[in-house]
């Protein structure tokens, strides 16, 4: 069973899964098989750890249903940068720099020296995506708090393709103080990457809408809303949007740093 689909007890069919774990390559987690994790600090929340160092990632990804009154008083800090994105509902977030009420599409990035908190002051559940990673400092540069709503950012064509578009959450392309970025990518049905990417950067991706066919390593696999994928360094990757609606996902990428030897 999975707490996300409200299935309990025995299934009428044989057990099966689309989840795949290939350490050093990629991981796919479908929502049917994930479980709630008890994590200190998450009060009145149903939270699942998705990406983690246990699968080879240098970061941790989470999804959490924050019930009315649910909260966490400290995420990040002590060298850990952090990010929260509101998929649905409303949350109030706060760090040493800013306090804001976030609605659907709202987000906060908090630098490594500034933990942030959240609380659901509404009467409805909020559903959020959370990211944590140890910050890699660069002398003379530093990241800073960013609070905004991605719905206020216009789509831009992805590498010259009008049926594939993207948005950046952070100003990492212009500011070396940021060692990572979050993006949202949208493929119209039939749209695809311009080539199969193979690069040092890792990705953690949570799929928000639609369906697609993704090549990971040397296999084409179907993915859809609610799936999570971790892509390790140098794993070949690309996708096609399929079906009748846009294929949309949020994903992380490390950037702006040289290889450590």
């Amino acid at each position: 069973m999975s707490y996300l689909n409200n299935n309990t007890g025995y299934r009428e069919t044989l057990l099966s899964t689309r989840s795949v774990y290939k350490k050093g390559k990629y991981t796919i987690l479908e929502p049917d098989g994930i479980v709630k994790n008890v994590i200190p600090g998450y009060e009145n929340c149903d939270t699942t750890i998705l990406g983690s160092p246990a699968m080879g990632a240098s970061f941790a990804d989470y999804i959490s249903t924050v019930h009315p009154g649910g909260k966490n008083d400290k995420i990040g800090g002590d060298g850990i940068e952090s990010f929260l994105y509101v998929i649905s509902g409303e949350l109030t977030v706060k760090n040493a720099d800013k306090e804001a009420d976030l609605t659907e599409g709202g987000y906060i990035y908090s630098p490594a020296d500034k933990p942030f908190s959240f609380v659901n002051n509404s009467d409805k559940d909020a559903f959020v995506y959370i990211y944590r990673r140890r910050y890699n400092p660069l002398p003379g540069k530093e990241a800073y708090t960013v609070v905004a709503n991605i719905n206020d950012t216009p789509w831009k064509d992805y590498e010259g393709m009008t049926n594939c578009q993207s948005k950046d959450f952070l100003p990492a392309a212009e500011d070396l103080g940021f060692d990572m970025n979050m993006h949202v990518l949208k493929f119209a049905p039939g749209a695809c990457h311009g080539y199969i990417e193979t690069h040092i950067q890792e990705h953690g991706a949570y799929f928000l809408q639609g369906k697609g066919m993704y090549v990971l390593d040397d296999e084409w696999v179907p993915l859809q809303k609610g799936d999570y994928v971790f892509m390790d360094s140098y794993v070949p990757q690309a996708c096609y949007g399929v079906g009748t609606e846009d294929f949309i996902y949020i994903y992380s990428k490390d950037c702006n740093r040289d290889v450590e030897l």
Side-chain angles (χ1 to χ4, degrees):
M1 60 85 85
S2 169
Y3 74 98
L4 287 178
N5 59 20
N6 296 314
N7 284 330
T8 58
Y10 290 111
R11 298 292 177 89
E12 294 181 359
T13 60
L14 295 173
L15 296 179
S16 63
T17 183
R18 293 186 295 107
S19 295
V20 177
Y21 175 57
K22 295 190 176 183
K23 192 166 186 177
K25 295 184 177 181
Y26 66 89
T27 301
I28 300 170
L29 301 178
E30 64 154 320
D32 188 60
I34 64 175
V35 300
K36 287 185 282 189
N37 300 123
V38 177
I39 307 172
Y42 286 84
E43 299 182 21
N44 200 21
C45 300
D46 296 334
T47 305
T48 294
I49 300 170
L50 297 172
S52 73
M55 68 170 55
S58 64
F59 53 83
D61 283 325
Y62 311 72
I63 50 172
S64 185
T65 299
V66 186
H67 302 298
K71 65 178 183 176
N72 191 320
D73 292 333
K74 182 184 178 183
I75 295 179
D78 302 319
I80 303 297
E81 59 189 337
S82 50
F83 173 89
L84 179 148
Y85 172 64
V86 179
I87 297 173
S88 63
E90 303 175 8
L91 281 183
T92 298
V93 296
K94 181 180 180 180
N95 73 0
D97 296 328
K98 295 185 179 182
E99 181 173 358
D101 296 324
L102 303 183
T103 57
E104 181 176 330
Y107 63 94
I108 179 172
Y109 167 85
S110 198
D113 61 340
K114 293 182 174 66
F116 78 89
S117 64
F118 70 75
V119 61
N120 183 354
N121 291 318
S122 77
D123 59 358
K124 297 181 179 179
D125 287 347
F127 186 58
V128 301
Y129 165 82
I130 298 168
Y131 169 97
R132 298 169 57 245
R133 182 174 182 266
R134 183 163 295 280
Y135 181 65
N136 184 3
L138 184 66
K141 304 289 183 178
E142 62 180 19
Y144 53 85
T145 299
V146 178
V147 176
N149 191 302
I150 199 64
N151 294 326
D152 298 329
T153 300
W155 290 103
K156 58 183 180 182
D157 291 347
Y158 186 73
E159 298 185 349
M161 298 177 289
T162 58
N163 59 354
C164 177
Q165 297 180 308
S166 67
K167 297 183 181 185
D168 297 339
F169 286 81
L170 303 176
E174 299 83 30
D175 192 332
L176 293 179
F178 293 86
D179 70 341
M180 53 77 62
N181 206 344
M182 305 296 302
H183 311 271
V184 63
L185 198 54
K186 177 176 72 172
F187 294 88
C192 66
H193 284 90
Y195 52 94
I196 295 178
E197 298 182 3
T198 311
H199 50 62
I200 191 173
Q201 290 83 9
E202 301 172 330
H203 293 314
Y206 186 73
F207 294 83
L208 301 170
Q209 178 183 300
K211 300 175 183 177
M213 291 297 299
Y214 227 103
V215 64
L216 297 167
D217 197 22
D218 60 353
E219 300 179 67
W220 284 96
V221 293
L223 297 171
Q224 63 185 4
K225 178 182 176 179
D227 289 344
Y228 173 82
V229 174
F230 166 65
M231 309 172 209
D232 212 337
S233 299
Y234 299 112
V235 171
Q237 57 195 257
C239 85
Y240 284 88
V242 302
T244 59
E245 62 179 342
D246 292 337
F247 186 43
I248 301 175
Y249 57 94
I250 183 172
Y251 69 102
S252 62
K253 180 177 71 177
D254 47 296
C255 62
N256 293 344
R257 297 294 184 269
D258 200 353
V259 177
E260 293 186 10
L261 301 177

